[in-house]
Amino acid sequence: MDLITKDSDTTLVLFSSLDRVLENVEYMVMNYRPVLNGEHYLTGEEVCKRLCISKRTLQDYRDTGLLGYVQLPGKIIYRESDIIELLESSYQKNV
């Protein structure tokens, strides 16, 4: 039976594997989008980034009914499909 130290091959392989697992978990946490009834939802900040608009403009979109939303206690979320539909309906091709 060999002695396992911090510099042994077994330990180095283990730490390397743990580093990869940690990277994958961090990626999943940063890119996780909850799915409710098969629909992805975005936060207001994510919508503003995607549409390149300010929070105030996003509020105007909500107020005028241009963009649908779901209001939860303390949070407003937006259906990703509604964002895509808005972009597709507003797209104008330059001919």
Side-chain angles (χ1 to χ4, degrees):
M1 186 165 165
D2 293 334
L3 179 64
I4 298 176
T5 66
K6 68 176 184 172
D7 296 323
S8 67
D9 289 338
T10 305
T11 306
L12 295 175
V13 168
L14 174 66
F15 285 140
S16 176
S17 296
L18 288 174
D19 285 341
R20 283 195 308 274
V21 168
L22 179 61
E23 288 172 7
N24 288 334
V25 169
E26 287 174 344
Y27 175 81
M28 288 171 44
V29 167
M30 295 298 294
N31 295 298
Y32 175 71
R33 297 286 172 264
V35 178
L36 303 172
N37 293 330
E39 181 72 54
H40 290 268
Y41 288 85
L42 304 172
T43 65
E45 185 176 313
E46 292 168 328
V47 173
C48 288
K49 283 182 184 178
R50 285 206 182 174
L51 298 179
C52 298
I53 59 174
S54 67
K55 289 181 181 180
R56 179 67 182 120
T57 301
L58 182 58
Q59 182 179 343
D60 284 342
Y61 287 3
R62 281 195 317 264
D63 294 344
T64 61
L66 183 63
L67 188 58
Y69 61 95
V70 177
Q71 188 163 7
L72 303 171
K75 188 133 184 126
I76 296 176
I77 56 176
Y78 304 84
R79 286 182 198 89
E80 187 175 40
S81 61
D82 289 346
I83 307 297
I84 293 169
E85 185 179 315
L86 174 67
L87 290 171
E88 288 175 349
S89 67
S90 300
Y91 179 73
Q92 295 180 2
K93 226 179 202 182
N94 290 337
V95 181

